[in-house]
Amino acid sequence: MDLNYLYHRRGKSLLMAARARCAPSREAHLQLARGYVALIEKTRRDRQAAA
């Protein structure tokens, strides 16, 4: 998976969380950001294992 894309999406999710007008929306965007962090870590581990 493309790490640049994942970092970009994580940043967008954090930005949307910061701009959210209600707590449920903020939490949804933070959950997305956490999901992207998990994908970033998995992709990095996979790449290290393949090297």
Side-chain angles (χ1 to χ4, degrees):
M1 190 163 266
D2 182 26
L3 281 173
N4 286 326
Y5 173 77
L6 294 174
Y7 280 115
H8 174 76
R9 293 306 310 161
R10 177 186 157 269
K12 285 286 194 179
S13 294
L14 292 173
L15 179 66
M16 295 298 290
R19 292 181 175 178
R21 293 181 178 223
C22 65
S25 180
R26 186 176 308 108
E27 185 55 36
H29 289 294
L30 289 174
Q31 263 308 49
L32 284 170
R34 285 190 281 273
Y36 286 120
V37 168
L39 286 172
I40 289 166
E41 290 172 353
K42 181 186 180 312
T43 301
R44 292 180 77 187
R45 279 193 310 269
D46 291 349
R47 287 185 179 185
Q48 287 174 348

mmCIF file of all heavy atoms in Angstrom:
data_model
loop_
_atom_site.group_PDB
_atom_site.id
_atom_site.type_symbol
_atom_site.label_atom_id
_atom_site.label_comp_id
_atom_site.label_asym_id
_atom_site.label_seq_id
_atom_site.Cartn_x
_atom_site.Cartn_y
_atom_site.Cartn_z
ATOM 1 N N MET A 1 0.850 -1.180 0.000
ATOM 2 C CA MET A 1 0.000 0.000 0.000
ATOM 3 C C MET A 1 0.893 1.240 0.000
ATOM 4 O O MET A 1 1.977 1.235 0.560
ATOM 5 C CB MET A 1 -0.910 -0.039 1.224
ATOM 6 C CG MET A 1 -1.991 1.005 1.179
ATOM 7 S SD MET A 1 -3.322 0.671 2.314
ATOM 8 C CE MET A 1 -4.437 -0.188 1.244
ATOM 9 N N ASP A 2 0.437 2.288 -0.598
ATOM 10 C CA ASP A 2 1.212 3.514 -0.727
ATOM 11 C C ASP A 2 1.213 4.285 0.600
ATOM 12 O O ASP A 2 0.169 4.757 1.064
ATOM 13 C CB ASP A 2 0.618 4.368 -1.842
ATOM 14 C CG ASP A 2 1.395 5.641 -2.080
ATOM 15 O OD1 ASP A 2 2.599 5.685 -1.781
ATOM 16 O OD2 ASP A 2 0.784 6.608 -2.568
ATOM 17 N N LEU A 3 2.388 4.412 1.200
ATOM 18 C CA LEU A 3 2.493 5.114 2.478
ATOM 19 C C LEU A 3 2.131 6.589 2.365
ATOM 20 O O LEU A 3 1.526 7.148 3.287
ATOM 21 C CB LEU A 3 3.905 4.964 3.050
ATOM 22 C CG LEU A 3 4.195 3.629 3.722
ATOM 23 C CD1 LEU A 3 5.666 3.530 4.100
ATOM 24 C CD2 LEU A 3 3.325 3.425 4.943
ATOM 25 N N ASN A 4 2.481 7.217 1.262
ATOM 26 C CA ASN A 4 2.134 8.637 1.096
ATOM 27 C C ASN A 4 0.622 8.844 1.153
ATOM 28 O O ASN A 4 0.139 9.786 1.788
ATOM 29 C CB ASN A 4 2.681 9.190 -0.223
ATOM 30 C CG ASN A 4 4.165 9.393 -0.174
ATOM 31 O OD1 ASN A 4 4.713 9.740 0.862
ATOM 32 N ND2 ASN A 4 4.816 9.170 -1.291
ATOM 33 N N TYR A 5 -0.109 7.951 0.515
ATOM 34 C CA TYR A 5 -1.569 8.037 0.539
ATOM 35 C C TYR A 5 -2.090 7.871 1.965
ATOM 36 O O TYR A 5 -2.956 8.628 2.411
ATOM 37 C CB TYR A 5 -2.179 6.975 -0.375
ATOM 38 C CG TYR A 5 -3.682 6.899 -0.262
ATOM 39 C CD1 TYR A 5 -4.488 7.844 -0.873
ATOM 40 C CD2 TYR A 5 -4.289 5.888 0.483
ATOM 41 C CE1 TYR A 5 -5.871 7.792 -0.757
ATOM 42 C CE2 TYR A 5 -5.660 5.830 0.606
ATOM 43 C CZ TYR A 5 -6.446 6.785 -0.009
ATOM 44 O OH TYR A 5 -7.807 6.732 0.121
ATOM 45 N N LEU A 6 -1.562 6.893 2.678
ATOM 46 C CA LEU A 6 -2.027 6.647 4.041
ATOM 47 C C LEU A 6 -1.719 7.831 4.956
ATOM 48 O O LEU A 6 -2.562 8.225 5.767
ATOM 49 C CB LEU A 6 -1.388 5.375 4.589
ATOM 50 C CG LEU A 6 -1.801 4.081 3.887
ATOM 51 C CD1 LEU A 6 -0.988 2.906 4.407
ATOM 52 C CD2 LEU A 6 -3.291 3.831 4.047
ATOM 53 N N TYR A 7 -0.523 8.395 4.828
ATOM 54 C CA TYR A 7 -0.186 9.573 5.639
ATOM 55 C C TYR A 7 -1.089 10.756 5.282
ATOM 56 O O TYR A 7 -1.521 11.509 6.157
ATOM 57 C CB TYR A 7 1.280 9.967 5.452
ATOM 58 C CG TYR A 7 2.243 9.125 6.256
ATOM 59 C CD1 TYR A 7 3.165 8.305 5.633
ATOM 60 C CD2 TYR A 7 2.241 9.158 7.647
ATOM 61 C CE1 TYR A 7 4.060 7.540 6.368
ATOM 62 C CE2 TYR A 7 3.120 8.402 8.385
ATOM 63 C CZ TYR A 7 4.024 7.598 7.741
ATOM 64 O OH TYR A 7 4.902 6.842 8.478
ATOM 65 N N HIS A 8 -1.382 10.916 4.015
ATOM 66 C CA HIS A 8 -2.268 11.995 3.565
ATOM 67 C C HIS A 8 -3.665 11.824 4.162
ATOM 68 O O HIS A 8 -4.246 12.782 4.695
ATOM 69 C CB HIS A 8 -2.331 12.017 2.041
ATOM 70 C CG HIS A 8 -3.318 12.979 1.492
ATOM 71 N ND1 HIS A 8 -3.096 14.334 1.460
ATOM 72 C CD2 HIS A 8 -4.546 12.780 0.958
ATOM 73 C CE1 HIS A 8 -4.157 14.930 0.940
ATOM 74 N NE2 HIS A 8 -5.048 14.010 0.619
ATOM 75 N N ARG A 9 -4.207 10.611 4.070
ATOM 76 C CA ARG A 9 -5.544 10.357 4.599
ATOM 77 C C ARG A 9 -5.573 10.537 6.116
ATOM 78 O O ARG A 9 -6.551 11.044 6.664
ATOM 79 C CB ARG A 9 -6.014 8.946 4.223
ATOM 80 C CG ARG A 9 -6.250 8.743 2.753
ATOM 81 C CD ARG A 9 -7.196 9.754 2.128
ATOM 82 N NE ARG A 9 -8.431 9.878 2.889
ATOM 83 C CZ ARG A 9 -9.267 10.911 2.801
ATOM 84 N NH1 ARG A 9 -9.017 11.902 1.970
ATOM 85 N NH2 ARG A 9 -10.354 10.953 3.524
ATOM 86 N N ARG A 10 -4.511 10.118 6.801
ATOM 87 C CA ARG A 10 -4.441 10.321 8.246
ATOM 88 C C ARG A 10 -4.489 11.801 8.575
ATOM 89 O O ARG A 10 -5.233 12.237 9.464
ATOM 90 C CB ARG A 10 -3.164 9.707 8.807
ATOM 91 C CG ARG A 10 -2.979 9.926 10.284
ATOM 92 C CD ARG A 10 -1.597 9.414 10.726
ATOM 93 N NE ARG A 10 -1.197 10.071 11.930
ATOM 94 C CZ ARG A 10 -0.479 11.202 11.997
ATOM 95 N NH1 ARG A 10 -0.079 11.788 10.899
ATOM 96 N NH2 ARG A 10 -0.159 11.732 13.136
ATOM 97 N N GLY A 11 -3.723 12.598 7.842
ATOM 98 C CA GLY A 11 -3.711 14.037 8.063
ATOM 99 C C GLY A 11 -5.068 14.663 7.810
ATOM 100 O O GLY A 11 -5.524 15.526 8.574
ATOM 101 N N LYS A 12 -5.734 14.240 6.737
ATOM 102 C CA LYS A 12 -7.070 14.760 6.433
ATOM 103 C C LYS A 12 -8.057 14.399 7.550
ATOM 104 O O LYS A 12 -8.887 15.217 7.947
ATOM 105 C CB LYS A 12 -7.591 14.201 5.114
ATOM 106 C CG LYS A 12 -6.965 14.787 3.899
ATOM 107 C CD LYS A 12 -7.499 16.180 3.688
ATOM 108 C CE LYS A 12 -7.145 16.647 2.296
ATOM 109 N NZ LYS A 12 -7.650 17.977 2.030
ATOM 110 N N SER A 13 -7.966 13.183 8.054
ATOM 111 C CA SER A 13 -8.862 12.761 9.132
ATOM 112 C C SER A 13 -8.631 13.590 10.389
ATOM 113 O O SER A 13 -9.591 13.988 11.066
ATOM 114 C CB SER A 13 -8.663 11.274 9.440
ATOM 115 O OG SER A 13 -9.062 10.499 8.345
ATOM 116 N N LEU A 14 -7.378 13.862 10.703
ATOM 117 C CA LEU A 14 -7.076 14.688 11.873
ATOM 118 C C LEU A 14 -7.578 16.113 11.685
ATOM 119 O O LEU A 14 -8.101 16.732 12.624
ATOM 120 C CB LEU A 14 -5.579 14.674 12.168
ATOM 121 C CG LEU A 14 -5.028 13.340 12.657
ATOM 122 C CD1 LEU A 14 -3.502 13.398 12.754
ATOM 123 C CD2 LEU A 14 -5.646 12.949 13.990
ATOM 124 N N LEU A 15 -7.433 16.627 10.478
ATOM 125 C CA LEU A 15 -7.935 17.973 10.184
ATOM 126 C C LEU A 15 -9.454 18.025 10.328
ATOM 127 O O LEU A 15 -9.995 18.951 10.938
ATOM 128 C CB LEU A 15 -7.527 18.386 8.766
ATOM 129 C CG LEU A 15 -7.989 19.754 8.299
ATOM 130 C CD1 LEU A 15 -7.319 20.849 9.120
ATOM 131 C CD2 LEU A 15 -7.662 19.934 6.827
ATOM 132 N N MET A 16 -10.128 17.026 9.791
ATOM 133 C CA MET A 16 -11.584 16.974 9.900
ATOM 134 C C MET A 16 -12.021 16.830 11.359
ATOM 135 O O MET A 16 -13.020 17.419 11.771
ATOM 136 C CB MET A 16 -12.145 15.829 9.061
ATOM 137 C CG MET A 16 -11.937 15.998 7.564
ATOM 138 S SD MET A 16 -12.752 17.457 6.885
ATOM 139 C CE MET A 16 -14.442 16.971 7.034
ATOM 140 N N ALA A 17 -11.272 16.077 12.140
ATOM 141 C CA ALA A 17 -11.597 15.931 13.562
ATOM 142 C C ALA A 17 -11.458 17.273 14.273
ATOM 143 O O ALA A 17 -12.296 17.637 15.105
ATOM 144 C CB ALA A 17 -10.687 14.888 14.209
ATOM 145 N N ALA A 18 -10.428 18.012 13.939
ATOM 146 C CA ALA A 18 -10.210 19.310 14.571
ATOM 147 C C ALA A 18 -11.305 20.307 14.202
ATOM 148 O O ALA A 18 -11.633 21.196 14.997
ATOM 149 C CB ALA A 18 -8.840 19.858 14.165
ATOM 150 N N ARG A 19 -11.890 20.144 13.025
ATOM 151 C CA ARG A 19 -12.929 21.068 12.554
ATOM 152 C C ARG A 19 -14.350 20.585 12.854
ATOM 153 O O ARG A 19 -15.314 21.294 12.559
ATOM 154 C CB ARG A 19 -12.793 21.276 11.053
ATOM 155 C CG ARG A 19 -11.537 22.019 10.679
ATOM 156 C CD ARG A 19 -11.475 22.224 9.201
ATOM 157 N NE ARG A 19 -10.320 23.037 8.840
ATOM 158 C CZ ARG A 19 -9.990 23.342 7.610
ATOM 159 N NH1 ARG A 19 -10.707 22.905 6.601
ATOM 160 N NH2 ARG A 19 -8.927 24.082 7.374
ATOM 161 N N ALA A 20 -14.467 19.400 13.426
ATOM 162 C CA ALA A 20 -15.790 18.826 13.680
ATOM 163 C C ALA A 20 -16.584 19.693 14.645
ATOM 164 O O ALA A 20 -16.037 20.261 15.590
ATOM 165 C CB ALA A 20 -15.635 17.411 14.233
ATOM 166 N N ARG A 21 -17.869 19.763 14.396
ATOM 167 C CA ARG A 21 -18.753 20.607 15.222
ATOM 168 C C ARG A 21 -19.408 19.841 16.353
ATOM 169 O O ARG A 21 -20.030 20.445 17.222
ATOM 170 C CB ARG A 21 -19.813 21.249 14.348
ATOM 171 C CG ARG A 21 -19.218 22.240 13.385
ATOM 172 C CD ARG A 21 -20.292 22.879 12.563
ATOM 173 N NE ARG A 21 -19.691 23.866 11.672
ATOM 174 C CZ ARG A 21 -20.204 25.052 11.457
ATOM 175 N NH1 ARG A 21 -21.315 25.418 12.046
ATOM 176 N NH2 ARG A 21 -19.612 25.879 10.631
ATOM 177 N N CYS A 22 -19.303 18.528 16.334
ATOM 178 C CA CYS A 22 -19.914 17.756 17.419
ATOM 179 C C CYS A 22 -18.992 16.587 17.796
ATOM 180 O O CYS A 22 -18.160 16.160 17.004
ATOM 181 C CB CYS A 22 -21.296 17.250 17.026
ATOM 182 S SG CYS A 22 -21.301 16.073 15.672
ATOM 183 N N ALA A 23 -19.167 16.116 18.999
ATOM 184 C CA ALA A 23 -18.313 15.045 19.518
ATOM 185 C C ALA A 23 -18.401 13.752 18.703
ATOM 186 O O ALA A 23 -17.362 13.140 18.438
ATOM 187 C CB ALA A 23 -18.630 14.790 20.988
ATOM 188 N N PRO A 24 -19.588 13.299 18.300
ATOM 189 C CA PRO A 24 -19.636 12.054 17.510
ATOM 190 C C PRO A 24 -18.871 12.162 16.182
ATOM 191 O O PRO A 24 -18.192 11.225 15.776
ATOM 192 C CB PRO A 24 -21.128 11.828 17.274
ATOM 193 C CG PRO A 24 -21.802 12.545 18.390
ATOM 194 C CD PRO A 24 -20.945 13.744 18.661
ATOM 195 N N SER A 25 -18.980 13.295 15.531
ATOM 196 C CA SER A 25 -18.253 13.496 14.279
ATOM 197 C C SER A 25 -16.746 13.512 14.535
ATOM 198 O O SER A 25 -15.976 12.892 13.799
ATOM 199 C CB SER A 25 -18.695 14.800 13.622
ATOM 200 O OG SER A 25 -18.007 15.005 12.415
ATOM 201 N N ARG A 26 -16.343 14.220 15.579
ATOM 202 C CA ARG A 26 -14.923 14.284 15.943
ATOM 203 C C ARG A 26 -14.384 12.884 16.208
ATOM 204 O O ARG A 26 -13.312 12.506 15.726
ATOM 205 C CB ARG A 26 -14.749 15.172 17.170
ATOM 206 C CG ARG A 26 -13.321 15.437 17.557
ATOM 207 C CD ARG A 26 -13.204 16.416 18.726
ATOM 208 N NE ARG A 26 -13.978 17.637 18.467
ATOM 209 C CZ ARG A 26 -15.111 17.970 19.078
ATOM 210 N NH1 ARG A 26 -15.622 17.203 20.008
ATOM 211 N NH2 ARG A 26 -15.740 19.084 18.773
ATOM 212 N N GLU A 27 -15.128 12.092 16.968
ATOM 213 C CA GLU A 27 -14.685 10.737 17.296
ATOM 214 C C GLU A 27 -14.610 9.853 16.064
ATOM 215 O O GLU A 27 -13.699 9.038 15.930
ATOM 216 C CB GLU A 27 -15.612 10.114 18.345
ATOM 217 C CG GLU A 27 -15.158 8.763 18.828
ATOM 218 C CD GLU A 27 -13.738 8.736 19.379
ATOM 219 O OE1 GLU A 27 -13.304 9.724 20.019
ATOM 220 O OE2 GLU A 27 -13.042 7.725 19.157
ATOM 221 N N ALA A 28 -15.547 10.014 15.144
ATOM 222 C CA ALA A 28 -15.522 9.224 13.907
ATOM 223 C C ALA A 28 -14.250 9.512 13.103
ATOM 224 O O ALA A 28 -13.593 8.586 12.613
ATOM 225 C CB ALA A 28 -16.764 9.515 13.070
ATOM 226 N N HIS A 29 -13.898 10.778 12.996
ATOM 227 C CA HIS A 29 -12.689 11.141 12.250
ATOM 228 C C HIS A 29 -11.426 10.679 12.977
ATOM 229 O O HIS A 29 -10.456 10.249 12.340
ATOM 230 C CB HIS A 29 -12.651 12.643 11.995
ATOM 231 C CG HIS A 29 -13.661 13.092 10.998
ATOM 232 N ND1 HIS A 29 -13.616 12.732 9.671
ATOM 233 C CD2 HIS A 29 -14.774 13.851 11.134
ATOM 234 C CE1 HIS A 29 -14.647 13.262 9.035
ATOM 235 N NE2 HIS A 29 -15.374 13.948 9.907
ATOM 236 N N LEU A 30 -11.431 10.736 14.297
ATOM 237 C CA LEU A 30 -10.280 10.243 15.057
ATOM 238 C C LEU A 30 -10.142 8.733 14.909
ATOM 239 O O LEU A 30 -9.013 8.225 14.817
ATOM 240 C CB LEU A 30 -10.404 10.631 16.532
ATOM 241 C CG LEU A 30 -10.215 12.117 16.832
ATOM 242 C CD1 LEU A 30 -10.515 12.405 18.300
ATOM 243 C CD2 LEU A 30 -8.810 12.579 16.466
ATOM 244 N N GLN A 31 -11.274 8.026 14.850
ATOM 245 C CA GLN A 31 -11.229 6.579 14.620
ATOM 246 C C GLN A 31 -10.627 6.270 13.256
ATOM 247 O O GLN A 31 -9.836 5.333 13.124
ATOM 248 C CB GLN A 31 -12.627 5.985 14.670
ATOM 249 C CG GLN A 31 -13.113 5.355 15.920
ATOM 250 C CD GLN A 31 -12.250 4.322 16.549
ATOM 251 O OE1 GLN A 31 -11.055 4.500 16.758
ATOM 252 N NE2 GLN A 31 -12.856 3.236 16.915
ATOM 253 N N LEU A 32 -11.013 7.038 12.254
ATOM 254 C CA LEU A 32 -10.429 6.855 10.917
ATOM 255 C C LEU A 32 -8.918 7.083 10.964
ATOM 256 O O LEU A 32 -8.148 6.308 10.384
ATOM 257 C CB LEU A 32 -11.068 7.809 9.909
ATOM 258 C CG LEU A 32 -12.457 7.438 9.424
ATOM 259 C CD1 LEU A 32 -13.066 8.587 8.639
ATOM 260 C CD2 LEU A 32 -12.403 6.184 8.577
ATOM 261 N N ALA A 33 -8.494 8.132 11.647
ATOM 262 C CA ALA A 33 -7.061 8.426 11.755
ATOM 263 C C ALA A 33 -6.334 7.270 12.428
ATOM 264 O O ALA A 33 -5.255 6.864 11.983
ATOM 265 C CB ALA A 33 -6.838 9.724 12.528
ATOM 266 N N ARG A 34 -6.923 6.711 13.483
ATOM 267 C CA ARG A 34 -6.304 5.567 14.160
ATOM 268 C C ARG A 34 -6.217 4.361 13.224
ATOM 269 O O ARG A 34 -5.234 3.616 13.241
ATOM 270 C CB ARG A 34 -7.077 5.214 15.428
ATOM 271 C CG ARG A 34 -6.838 6.191 16.562
ATOM 272 C CD ARG A 34 -7.413 5.702 17.877
ATOM 273 N NE ARG A 34 -8.849 5.904 17.992
ATOM 274 C CZ ARG A 34 -9.425 7.012 18.445
ATOM 275 N NH1 ARG A 34 -8.697 8.034 18.830
ATOM 276 N NH2 ARG A 34 -10.735 7.083 18.521
ATOM 277 N N GLY A 35 -7.235 4.174 12.408
ATOM 278 C CA GLY A 35 -7.200 3.087 11.429
ATOM 279 C C GLY A 35 -6.080 3.273 10.413
ATOM 280 O O GLY A 35 -5.403 2.309 10.055
ATOM 281 N N TYR A 36 -5.885 4.511 9.979
ATOM 282 C CA TYR A 36 -4.783 4.778 9.045
ATOM 283 C C TYR A 36 -3.433 4.536 9.702
ATOM 284 O O TYR A 36 -2.516 4.015 9.066
ATOM 285 C CB TYR A 36 -4.875 6.197 8.485
ATOM 286 C CG TYR A 36 -5.973 6.348 7.465
ATOM 287 C CD1 TYR A 36 -7.010 7.246 7.669
ATOM 288 C CD2 TYR A 36 -5.992 5.589 6.306
ATOM 289 C CE1 TYR A 36 -8.040 7.375 6.745
ATOM 290 C CE2 TYR A 36 -7.013 5.713 5.379
ATOM 291 C CZ TYR A 36 -8.030 6.610 5.608
ATOM 292 O OH TYR A 36 -9.042 6.723 4.681
ATOM 293 N N VAL A 37 -3.303 4.886 10.977
ATOM 294 C CA VAL A 37 -2.049 4.628 11.701
ATOM 295 C C VAL A 37 -1.771 3.125 11.729
ATOM 296 O O VAL A 37 -0.640 2.692 11.498
ATOM 297 C CB VAL A 37 -2.089 5.214 13.129
ATOM 298 C CG1 VAL A 37 -0.934 4.701 13.966
ATOM 299 C CG2 VAL A 37 -2.066 6.734 13.069
ATOM 300 N N ALA A 38 -2.800 2.333 11.980
ATOM 301 C CA ALA A 38 -2.632 0.880 11.996
ATOM 302 C C ALA A 38 -2.188 0.366 10.625
ATOM 303 O O ALA A 38 -1.301 -0.496 10.534
ATOM 304 C CB ALA A 38 -3.933 0.203 12.431
ATOM 305 N N LEU A 39 -2.793 0.897 9.560
ATOM 306 C CA LEU A 39 -2.384 0.487 8.208
ATOM 307 C C LEU A 39 -0.957 0.922 7.895
ATOM 308 O O LEU A 39 -0.207 0.184 7.246
ATOM 309 C CB LEU A 39 -3.346 1.067 7.172
ATOM 310 C CG LEU A 39 -4.711 0.410 7.081
ATOM 311 C CD1 LEU A 39 -5.624 1.203 6.151
ATOM 312 C CD2 LEU A 39 -4.579 -1.024 6.598
ATOM 313 N N ILE A 40 -0.578 2.102 8.343
ATOM 314 C CA ILE A 40 0.792 2.587 8.143
ATOM 315 C C ILE A 40 1.777 1.649 8.826
ATOM 316 O O ILE A 40 2.772 1.226 8.227
ATOM 317 C CB ILE A 40 0.941 4.030 8.657
ATOM 318 C CG1 ILE A 40 0.192 5.000 7.740
ATOM 319 C CG2 ILE A 40 2.419 4.424 8.781
ATOM 320 C CD1 ILE A 40 0.004 6.393 8.331
ATOM 321 N N GLU A 41 1.496 1.312 10.078
ATOM 322 C CA GLU A 41 2.397 0.422 10.817
ATOM 323 C C GLU A 41 2.478 -0.952 10.157
ATOM 324 O O GLU A 41 3.570 -1.520 10.036
ATOM 325 C CB GLU A 41 1.927 0.299 12.259
ATOM 326 C CG GLU A 41 2.125 1.579 13.041
ATOM 327 C CD GLU A 41 1.485 1.533 14.423
ATOM 328 O OE1 GLU A 41 0.770 0.546 14.738
ATOM 329 O OE2 GLU A 41 1.701 2.493 15.173
ATOM 330 N N LYS A 42 1.342 -1.484 9.711
ATOM 331 C CA LYS A 42 1.349 -2.793 9.055
ATOM 332 C C LYS A 42 2.142 -2.748 7.758
ATOM 333 O O LYS A 42 2.943 -3.647 7.481
ATOM 334 C CB LYS A 42 -0.084 -3.246 8.770
ATOM 335 C CG LYS A 42 -0.156 -4.607 8.107
ATOM 336 C CD LYS A 42 -1.567 -4.960 7.701
ATOM 337 C CE LYS A 42 -1.672 -6.315 7.042
ATOM 338 N NZ LYS A 42 -0.726 -6.579 5.997
ATOM 339 N N THR A 43 1.947 -1.715 6.978
ATOM 340 C CA THR A 43 2.668 -1.586 5.711
ATOM 341 C C THR A 43 4.162 -1.486 5.953
ATOM 342 O O THR A 43 4.961 -2.124 5.248
ATOM 343 C CB THR A 43 2.159 -0.355 4.932
ATOM 344 O OG1 THR A 43 0.752 -0.521 4.684
ATOM 345 C CG2 THR A 43 2.884 -0.191 3.612
ATOM 346 N N ARG A 44 4.557 -0.722 6.949
ATOM 347 C CA ARG A 44 5.986 -0.584 7.253
ATOM 348 C C ARG A 44 6.578 -1.910 7.708
ATOM 349 O O ARG A 44 7.685 -2.279 7.296
ATOM 350 C CB ARG A 44 6.196 0.511 8.292
ATOM 351 C CG ARG A 44 5.862 1.896 7.730
ATOM 352 C CD ARG A 44 6.053 2.967 8.737
ATOM 353 N NE ARG A 44 7.481 3.204 8.832
ATOM 354 C CZ ARG A 44 8.048 3.992 9.726
ATOM 355 N NH1 ARG A 44 7.308 4.635 10.594
ATOM 356 N NH2 ARG A 44 9.339 4.172 9.748
ATOM 357 N N ARG A 45 5.840 -2.652 8.560
ATOM 358 C CA ARG A 45 6.327 -3.966 9.014
ATOM 359 C C ARG A 45 6.456 -4.928 7.835
ATOM 360 O O ARG A 45 7.446 -5.652 7.728
ATOM 361 C CB ARG A 45 5.374 -4.559 10.052
ATOM 362 C CG ARG A 45 5.548 -4.038 11.444
ATOM 363 C CD ARG A 45 4.791 -4.881 12.458
ATOM 364 N NE ARG A 45 3.412 -5.119 12.102
ATOM 365 C CZ ARG A 45 2.395 -4.353 12.450
ATOM 366 N NH1 ARG A 45 2.598 -3.267 13.170
ATOM 367 N NH2 ARG A 45 1.157 -4.657 12.087
ATOM 368 N N ASP A 46 5.460 -4.927 6.960
ATOM 369 C CA ASP A 46 5.497 -5.808 5.789
ATOM 370 C C ASP A 46 6.681 -5.495 4.897
ATOM 371 O O ASP A 46 7.348 -6.393 4.385
ATOM 372 C CB ASP A 46 4.199 -5.702 4.987
ATOM 373 C CG ASP A 46 2.996 -6.302 5.718
ATOM 374 O OD1 ASP A 46 3.196 -6.983 6.749
ATOM 375 O OD2 ASP A 46 1.864 -6.056 5.255
ATOM 376 N N ARG A 47 6.949 -4.228 4.713
ATOM 377 C CA ARG A 47 8.084 -3.816 3.856
ATOM 378 C C ARG A 47 9.414 -4.215 4.491
ATOM 379 O O ARG A 47 10.339 -4.604 3.807
ATOM 380 C CB ARG A 47 8.046 -2.323 3.585
ATOM 381 C CG ARG A 47 6.951 -1.948 2.623
ATOM 382 C CD ARG A 47 6.995 -0.494 2.283
ATOM 383 N NE ARG A 47 5.930 -0.156 1.329
ATOM 384 C CZ ARG A 47 5.793 1.025 0.787
ATOM 385 N NH1 ARG A 47 6.614 2.003 1.096
ATOM 386 N NH2 ARG A 47 4.820 1.246 -0.061
ATOM 387 N N GLN A 48 9.515 -4.088 5.816
ATOM 388 C CA GLN A 48 10.753 -4.466 6.499
ATOM 389 C C GLN A 48 10.967 -5.973 6.423
ATOM 390 O O GLN A 48 12.086 -6.448 6.249
ATOM 391 C CB GLN A 48 10.735 -4.007 7.950
ATOM 392 C CG GLN A 48 10.904 -2.522 8.116
ATOM 393 C CD GLN A 48 10.736 -2.064 9.551
ATOM 394 O OE1 GLN A 48 10.287 -2.808 10.418
ATOM 395 N NE2 GLN A 48 11.101 -0.818 9.813
ATOM 396 N N ALA A 49 9.884 -6.742 6.542
ATOM 397 C CA ALA A 49 9.988 -8.184 6.479
ATOM 398 C C ALA A 49 10.388 -8.653 5.075
ATOM 399 O O ALA A 49 11.091 -9.651 4.919
ATOM 400 C CB ALA A 49 8.658 -8.827 6.870
ATOM 401 N N ALA A 50 9.951 -7.917 4.062
ATOM 402 C CA ALA A 50 10.260 -8.290 2.684
ATOM 403 C C ALA A 50 11.681 -7.913 2.284
ATOM 404 O O ALA A 50 12.211 -8.451 1.317
ATOM 405 C CB ALA A 50 9.267 -7.626 1.725
ATOM 406 N N ALA A 51 12.287 -7.007 3.033
ATOM 407 C CA ALA A 51 13.634 -6.537 2.667
ATOM 408 C C ALA A 51 14.714 -7.497 3.079
ATOM 409 O O ALA A 51 14.618 -8.418 3.747
ATOM 410 C CB ALA A 51 13.897 -5.185 3.311
#
